Amino acid sequence: MKKILSLVVLCVAILGVGTANAQSSSKWGVVAGADISTLNFDQDLFKVDKNVGATLGVMGELMMPGIGFGFDASLLYTQKGAKLHLGERPIWEVQGYGKENCMLHYLEIPIHLKFKFKNLGGFENTLMPMLFVGPEFSFLLAHSGIDAIKFPGGEFGLDMGLGCEILRKFQVNLSYCIGMSYAVKTKLLDDFTARNRTYKLTFTYLF
């Protein structure tokens, strides 16, 4: 976790230095949105229902002059999780578990390589499509406290998506994040783990 945190700090610092040296191609914005998430277990232990959460934070963007490539980094509060039907297994049913709401509250730092389709004959001033991909570092702030589940301090994922910039002032993005490290672990049944899978729709107002 210390190595991951160091990498995050380094990436954000690099983005910040680049932004300071290229003000004409940098932007900042406020982000708000919603997500649909689930927990993908290694094996089919019980039924898992998707959950709806929210996200809120800030984003900084640095684009290279004259080409469509650039970077962005965000600092976000995000809710993820799923509904776990623990009561389907006798090992948890006898302990009084049923359908449990497993909510995870994260501080997230996604860092993206971004490409904007700029050369569209002026149409990009009204609507500019874009693609992005990059790592997402999540640090657990709080959780729903299910005693049958272990919660690590954070996770790492791969985030990818598409979107558009409207009138150079708004961005609308749809992304999908694949958890690469586990988000929760069962205390029984040989510590089965689950990873987050999240669809996120965000709206950003740019300054």
Side-chain angles (χ1 to χ4, degrees):
M1 183 60 69
K2 289 183 179 179
K3 291 182 179 180
I4 293 176
L5 182 57
S6 298
L7 178 61
V8 172
V9 172
L10 177 61
C11 292
V12 173
I14 291 172
L15 181 61
V17 171
T19 300
N21 293 328
Q23 291 293 331
S24 61
S25 59
S26 65
K27 295 180 180 180
W28 293 90
V30 178
V31 182
D35 63 70
I36 299 175
S37 62
T38 189
L39 289 165
N40 186 29
F41 278 87
D42 295 337
Q43 297 198 14
D44 187 17
L45 293 178
F46 40 72
K47 184 179 179 182
V48 178
D49 295 333
K50 294 180 176 63
N51 216 339
V52 177
T55 188
L56 181 67
V58 294
M59 182 272 289
E61 178 186 88
L62 174 64
M63 301 301 297
M64 306 302 176
I67 61 175
F69 283 101
F71 300 90
D72 71 37
S74 302
L75 186 66
L76 307 172
Y77 162 73
T78 301
Q79 296 174 333
K80 294 182 181 179
K83 294 181 175 65
L84 310 180
H85 293 248
L86 293 173
E88 292 181 354
R89 289 277 184 166
I91 194 170
W92 288 299
E93 183 185 21
V94 297
Q95 299 181 46
Y97 291 106
K99 183 179 179 181
E100 306 296 330
N101 191 21
C102 182
M103 289 300 296
L104 305 168
H105 303 266
Y106 289 107
L107 174 65
E108 288 186 347
I109 305 177
I111 302 172
H112 298 131
L113 172 65
K114 178 179 286 186
F115 179 76
K116 292 184 177 181
F117 295 86
K118 288 188 171 183
N119 300 315
L120 299 177
F123 181 71
E124 68 273 12
N125 294 319
T126 302
L127 188 75
M128 185 188 305
M130 55 188 173
L131 303 171
F132 55 89
V133 63
E136 182 175 278
F137 305 93
S138 301
F139 303 92
L140 189 64
L141 300 174
H143 55 77
S144 49
I146 302 172
D147 290 337
I149 300 295
K150 296 179 182 177
F151 300 90
E155 62 155 346
F156 166 76
L158 178 64
D159 195 40
M160 65 194 77
L162 52 81
C164 62
E165 187 169 298
I166 304 170
L167 302 175
R168 304 280 186 166
K169 291 296 292 182
F170 306 93
Q171 288 185 2
V172 181
N173 292 321
L174 178 64
S175 63
Y176 178 59
C177 186
I178 303 172
M180 306 301 289
S181 61
Y182 76 87
V184 300
K185 178 187 290 187
T186 62
K187 292 183 178 179
L188 302 175
L189 296 183
D190 296 327
D191 290 336
F192 284 113
T193 60
R195 293 169 172 80
N196 276 312
R197 297 286 188 270
T198 308
Y199 289 96
K200 186 182 295 181
L201 177 65
T202 57
F203 302 87
T204 304
Y205 177 78
L206 301 170
F207 297 100

